[in-house]
Amino acid sequence: DPKISSGLNKLAVANSWYGQMFTRMQPTFAFLNAGRDTIERSFHLASMSTYDANGRLVEGSSLVGSYFANTGRAAKMLKSVMSGTADADSDAMRLWNEYVALGLHQEYTPGMDQSKRSLADVLAARQNPTGFVQKALSKPEHAKVRNALNALGRGKDAIMGVLDRWNDYFNNIAGFNEYVIMREAGIAPERAASNVLDSMNLTNKGTATPILQILYPFVKPTMSSAAALARSIGFVYDPRGFYKAGVNGWKYMLGATAALSMLKPLIEESLGDDPETGQSRLDAMSLSDLVRFLPIGIGGGDFVKFPLGYGPIQLVATMVYGTDRVQRGLMTPQDLAAEMVFTMG
């Protein structure tokens, strides 16, 4: 039906721009997302088992420490490549060329680049190219208006270009770092690339993804993260068997649970109590906020947000904060169960 098709197209466009407003057009998003991506990839790296070029077994859990320690170095390597200052024969350029050639360079807004479109290009793409706007602007007496609009379009393109380069850099830090660590551990390029894509693959999509994207703009990273979580805890068939495939993932989650349980009293103390209600500021925060970041109090009720990862870390945070609130009567078990389902969804 043409009307239904037109309606879905309009909804898809609206959702696309809605998604971009919270990602591409917010400079802080890419920076915070790099932190979340770094943490989440560490979980999947810890549960990975692979082989180096000599056929020796490499447990991902043995690479996690190097992965975190190398983040700053990988970020500098990536900056030198993207800024054009890296030497052609440098390790940074060699690894980046492999990274790109193997399809690891991922963008959160593929196919949305509208740069270098003049007003004439926009008008030419209209379904009604002989509309009154084009007729009016094509008149000689309106040349100043036409030139001003074209200049405005070029200014917009310049701003979006800067934002896209900024996003491109931060969106690839974690993936590039993971690839660098595995290559330096002697893992072959193709095998290293496969493991990087297993952690997060925004180019992979099922037959229903284009339809779901119309309704929810972030469906691809959500589904990719869920698939990686299922693999990391042994819920996807693996020839090693359920235990060997998932044991490191479960160990990571148990370790994260213990760490957050120890940090929680310190976080609560740093935030303090609300002087008006006497209630702990941590208790006043919603679980939907607490699964996305650690609030570190800096005095006067203000705090800084330390970003958490997606998937497993959010489940851990929901469990730790939610169980504590159930035990103290601040939340019902039914509400906690609903929060767990919402987090996993």
Side-chain angles (χ1 to χ4, degrees):
D1 187 305
K3 290 185 177 180
I4 295 177
S5 178
S6 175
L8 288 175
N9 181 62
K10 290 176 180 177
L11 182 59
V13 171
N15 259 324
S16 169
W17 282 106
Y18 171 78
Q20 290 188 70
M21 286 297 294
F22 289 96
T23 55
R24 184 188 188 192
M25 298 179 191
Q26 277 199 7
T28 56
F29 170 81
F31 175 76
L32 294 174
N33 194 64
R36 296 188 185 108
D37 198 17
T38 297
I39 293 171
E40 177 160 3
R41 285 180 184 273
S42 71
F43 170 74
H44 303 302
L45 180 63
S47 59
M48 175 204 81
S49 291
T50 189
Y51 294 88
D52 66 14
N54 296 316
R56 291 174 298 198
L57 179 67
V58 177
E59 292 287 357
S61 55
S62 68
L63 302 177
V64 173
S66 300
Y67 168 77
F68 280 117
N70 193 63
T71 301
R73 172 173 167 258
K76 289 180 181 178
M77 293 169 72
L78 190 61
K79 181 182 177 182
S80 69
V81 169
M82 290 189 166
S83 64
T85 60
D87 293 334
D89 58 350
S90 64
D91 287 342
M93 186 59 74
R94 174 180 58 82
L95 291 166
W96 173 253
N97 287 336
E98 291 179 5
Y99 185 83
V100 173
L102 291 165
L104 304 181
H105 182 200
Q106 300 185 67
E107 299 175 279
Y108 279 82
T109 55
M112 302 215 183
D113 185 12
Q114 300 294 315
S115 63
K116 298 181 181 177
R117 293 186 77 202
S118 68
L119 179 63
D121 295 327
V122 175
L123 290 174
R126 286 168 53 94
Q127 292 182 349
N128 179 19
T130 58
F132 74 92
V133 175
Q134 185 183 24
K135 287 181 179 178
L137 290 174
S138 63
K139 294 179 179 179
E141 60 267 29
H142 294 150
K144 288 185 178 180
V145 176
R146 183 169 64 250
N147 292 336
L149 288 173
N150 280 328
L152 184 62
R154 288 190 294 272
K156 177 267 297 180
D157 292 337
I159 293 171
M160 295 308 294
V162 171
L163 283 175
D164 285 344
R165 287 192 294 275
W166 170 271
N167 290 329
D168 197 28
Y169 171 67
F170 283 105
N171 287 338
N172 282 280
I173 287 177
F176 184 64
N177 184 32
E178 187 179 6
Y179 181 77
V180 169
I181 284 298
M182 285 191 281
R183 289 290 289 118
E184 292 182 345
I187 300 169
E190 293 77 10
R191 193 179 291 273
S194 176
N195 284 299
V196 171
L197 289 175
D198 276 348
S199 296
M200 177 65 71
N201 186 358
L202 296 179
T203 62
N204 189 29
K205 60 183 180 181
T207 54
T209 302
I211 299 172
L212 294 174
Q213 253 185 314
I214 294 174
L215 305 173
Y216 180 57
F218 310 114
V219 68
K220 286 173 72 176
T222 301
M223 297 302 290
S224 181
S225 180
L229 170 62
R231 280 192 298 271
S232 298
I233 58 177
F235 282 6
V236 174
Y237 170 75
D238 191 296
R240 294 175 294 169
F242 170 76
Y243 176 78
K244 288 186 177 179
V247 63
N248 286 333
W250 286 106
K251 284 180 181 177
Y252 188 106
M253 288 188 70
L254 289 172
T257 301
L260 184 56
S261 297
M262 290 187 288
L263 282 174
K264 181 183 169 297
L266 300 177
I267 294 171
E268 189 166 17
E269 184 178 351
S270 73
L271 292 171
D273 297 334
D274 187 320
E276 294 183 2
T277 65
Q279 183 185 22
S280 163
R281 290 192 176 97
L282 183 64
D283 287 339
M285 299 178 72
S286 68
L287 284 186
S288 60
D289 283 335
L290 292 173
V291 300
R292 292 186 294 111
F293 58 80
L294 291 179
I296 310 299
I298 54 176
D302 296 324
F303 57 88
V304 294
K305 301 177 182 179
F306 183 84
L308 293 175
Y310 301 103
I313 301 301
Q314 291 189 341
L315 286 175
V316 166
T318 303
M319 258 188 323
V320 170
Y321 291 118
T323 303
D324 174 69
R325 291 183 181 187
V326 168
Q327 290 175 341
R328 292 187 292 124
L330 300 178
M331 178 183 248
T332 66
Q334 293 84 353
D335 287 340
L336 175 57
E339 286 284 352
M340 291 291 291
V341 172
F342 177 78
T343 301
M344 288 188 289

